[in-house]
Amino acid sequence: MQAGFDVDLYGTLETWHLPLYDSEEGHEIVHYFETVAQEVQSEVGHQCTVEVIADSDSLTLDPQHHFRPQAMLKMRIGHDRGLDQPKGPAEEQALQAIRERLHELKVREA
């Protein structure tokens, strides 16, 4: 049963600093998406939760671009109604709001 959504964002940083997100650019990116998550949370109310997960071990390699290193940031949309309860309209609204913000940034959807 699907209880929510995970939105995985992949991107490259201008300069790499390990651990990931432990640079000024990395902090700005995480802060931006935390702000987006808070705005979306405010729009849909407390019927669902929107959180940002920035894992410093999320380094991946993009095989379509000569194995260029990428960082992954996860936005998790869920609820507190219990694991036996399916996703609902609030989770769908939150997902749509995040998609709209990502389209404004010209982020490709895969």
Side-chain angles (χ1 to χ4, degrees):
M1 182 175 304
Q2 185 174 349
F5 302 97
D6 281 345
V7 178
D8 295 335
L9 303 170
Y10 295 88
T12 57
L13 300 174
E14 290 297 319
T15 56
W16 284 94
H17 186 277
L18 295 175
L20 293 175
Y21 305 116
D22 196 22
S23 66
E24 186 175 332
E25 181 185 19
H27 287 291
E28 287 175 11
I29 291 168
V30 172
H31 178 71
Y32 172 79
F33 283 107
E34 286 173 341
T35 302
V36 168
Q38 290 170 358
E39 290 171 359
V40 169
Q41 178 80 53
S42 294
E43 288 176 22
V44 299
H46 295 287
Q47 298 169 356
C48 76
T49 58
V50 183
E51 64 179 317
V52 173
I53 302 167
D55 183 0
S56 62
D57 295 328
S58 67
L59 184 66
T60 63
L61 300 175
D62 182 2
Q64 295 178 348
H65 293 98
H66 306 291
F67 295 99
R68 177 177 57 191
Q70 293 182 319
M72 195 237 336
L73 187 75
K74 183 181 296 284
M75 296 184 79
R76 178 162 288 154
I77 304 166
H79 60 70
D80 295 330
R81 296 186 302 269
L83 294 176
D84 62 331
Q85 299 298 312
K87 66 180 175 17
E91 290 83 19
E92 294 279 354
Q93 276 184 302
L95 179 62
Q96 187 58 36
I98 289 171
R99 275 187 171 140
E100 288 170 7
R101 287 192 174 71
L102 293 174
H103 286 285
E104 289 170 5
L105 293 172
K106 304 208 184 317
V107 174
R108 279 188 300 123
E109 189 171 341

